[in-house]
């Protein structure tokens, strides 16, 4: 055995023995401080010497992390993923102060600038917030989400663009484990529609967040499948895609289903090379028509009495039922409450993260249901657009829309100008993944959680990196 192989054998033997000791301590419920100290030491080691590995660990554990809400422990963060995100953010800030080696074009890319504007305005509205402590805590979580999942992913890709695929693969493995766990629990209950709303707990708080992340990864895994050259890797992605599609169907998340259908529409537009300006014009015209036809649409929706059920057709038809479907009516309750909040404070809003503490007094009795609460402690605004507008004002909404438009433009532009290959495929699948979330964002919002923030901001990073490389290549050939 040559020295290099011998050293690797000794290293992995020590790691295996160390892991076995920790597992035995946990199994016997003895010396539990030993595994805790081991995890801290491992985190510190990776943070100092192998931050790239730590990034992959962060991606893997994120779908498997849980929020600790024991009787005497209410941390309000997801463990262990957010602890790792905070540690990586601290490392990044230290590097900024010392010597951060990042391409200037990445730092000044339109996506990065849009993120700066997004965070800056959020900081301003924290100062004017109804509950500043809540808002600054919310801002802090945004900072560690964006730093660890956007800026550090950019750093990861500067070494090798294919590290991005490894990063998403790491999340995918953790997600497939959750899908297997969820599907098994669901099968034990006869795949009933009711149990489909909660069997993914404690990893995802409900079926909508679970459906959203499955929809997000479906185009990514499809793209990775067509990129793969080895048969073993192709088989891996094919199996994962089957798991994701099965999980998506059994999630009974109507918004996720619609987002995947819309994603196929955008894919067709990209294949036909329809100009982005025409696509944006169509979106604006559709929004205008919807706005002026809102009363007629609500009237027609009010006549729909289809209930949610295990039948696929009936379940989709129930999306427009605002007559008897409590989930749909409650969503209208949250939206009208958000609009009332916007009317009262249109410029600065009520403060980041404060919607759930403020919306109670803005509820209208005609939209309240059996799942409504007079205390207004039922959650967020169920919209990635109305929620930020209510919390950070119209300017806050504009920063969100700027992120949407710039990321879509950059992704579509890069895809249309790059020749066939790894980067073109990555631009396509990341853009389509973001499309699923932007569509889903009309009905739900999850960017205040680590589960969706990690792949969301990482997809932004991939598009920014590909865009910069494409611009450099274009400049070099002219």
């Amino acid at each position: 055995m040559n020295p290099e192989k011998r050293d690797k054998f000794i290293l992995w033997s020590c790691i295996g023995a160390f892991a076995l000791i920790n597992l035995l301590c946990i199994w016997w419920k003895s010396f539990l401080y030993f595994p805790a100290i081991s995890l801290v030491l491992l985190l510190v080691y990776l943070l100092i010497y192998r931050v790239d590995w730590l990034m992959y660990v962060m991606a893997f554990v994120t779908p498997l992390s849980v929020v600790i809400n024991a009787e005497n422990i209410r941390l309000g963060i997801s463990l262990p993923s957010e602890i790792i995100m905070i540690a990586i953010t601290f490392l990044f800030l230290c590097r900024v102060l010392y010597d951060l080696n990042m391409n200037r074009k990445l730092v000044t890319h339109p996506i990065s600038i849009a993120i700066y504007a997004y965070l800056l305005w959020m900081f301003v509205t924290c100062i004017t917030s109804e509950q500043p402590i809540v808002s600054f805590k919310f801002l802090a979580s945004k900072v560690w989400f964006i730093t660890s999942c956007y800026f550090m992913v950019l750093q990861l890709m500067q070494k090798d663009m294919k590290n991005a695929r490894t990063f998403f693969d790491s999340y995918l493995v953790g997600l497939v484990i959750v899908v297997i766990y969820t599907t098994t629990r669901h099968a034990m209950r006869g795949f009933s529609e009711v149990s489909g709303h909660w069997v993914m707990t404690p990893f995802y708080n409900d079926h909508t967040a679970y459906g959203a992340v499955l929809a997000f990864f479906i185009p990514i895994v499809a793209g990775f499948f067509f990129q793969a050259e080895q048969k073993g890797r192709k088989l891996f992605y094919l199996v994962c895609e089957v798991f994701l599609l099965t999980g998506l169907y059994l999630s009974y998340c109507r918004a996720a289903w619609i987002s995947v259908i819309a994603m196929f529409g955008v894919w067709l537009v990209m294949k036909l090379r329809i100009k982005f300006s025409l696509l944006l014009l169509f979106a604006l015209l559709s929004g205008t028509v919807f706005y002026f036809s809102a009363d007629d649409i609500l009237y027609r929706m009010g006549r729909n009495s289809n209930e949610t059920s295990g039948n696929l057709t009936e379940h989709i038809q129930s999306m427009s039922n605002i007559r008897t479907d409590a989930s749909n009516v409650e969503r209208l309750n949250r939206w009208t409450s958000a609009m009332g909040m916007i009317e009262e404070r249109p410029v600065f809003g009520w403060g980041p993260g404060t919607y759930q503490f403020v919306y109670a007094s803005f509820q209208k009795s005609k939209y309240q249901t059996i799942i409504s609460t007079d205390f207004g402690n039922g959650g967020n605004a169920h919209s990635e657009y109305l929620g930020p507008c209510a919390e950070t004002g119209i300017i806050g909404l504009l920063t969100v829309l700027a992120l949407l438009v710039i990321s879509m433009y950059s992704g579509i532009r890069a895809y249309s100008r790059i020749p066939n290959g790894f980067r073109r495929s990555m631009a396509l699948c990341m853009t389509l993944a973001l499309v699923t979330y932007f569509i889903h964002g009309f009905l739900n919002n999850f960017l205040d959680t680590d589960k969706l923030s990690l792949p969301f901001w990482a997809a932004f990073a991939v598009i920014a990196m590909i865009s910069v490389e494409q611009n450099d290549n274009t400049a070099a050939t002219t």
Side-chain angles (χ1 to χ4, degrees), residues 225 228-239:
F225 171 81
E229 297 177 354
Q230 301 93 342
K231 290 184 178 179
R233 185 176 283 271
K234 275 189 175 292
L235 179 61
F236 167 74
Y237 290 127
L238 179 61
V239 171

Side-chain angles (χ1 to χ4, degrees), residues 340-399:
M341 293 167 64
I342 294 166
E343 288 178 7
E344 189 160 325
R345 295 189 183 182
V347 180
F348 295 100
W350 293 78
T354 60
Y355 175 90
Q356 62 181 315
F357 304 107
V358 176
Y359 84 92
S361 61
F362 291 91
Q363 296 181 105
K364 295 181 180 179
S365 58
K366 65 178 179 179
Y367 292 126
Q368 288 187 282
T369 67
I370 56 173
I371 59 176
S372 299
T373 165
D374 293 331
F375 300 101
N377 55 1
N380 55 43
H382 284 289
S383 171
E384 210 61 74
Y385 309 102
L386 287 177
C389 192
E391 294 181 346
T392 59
I394 294 173
I395 297 176
L397 173 61
L398 291 176
T399 62

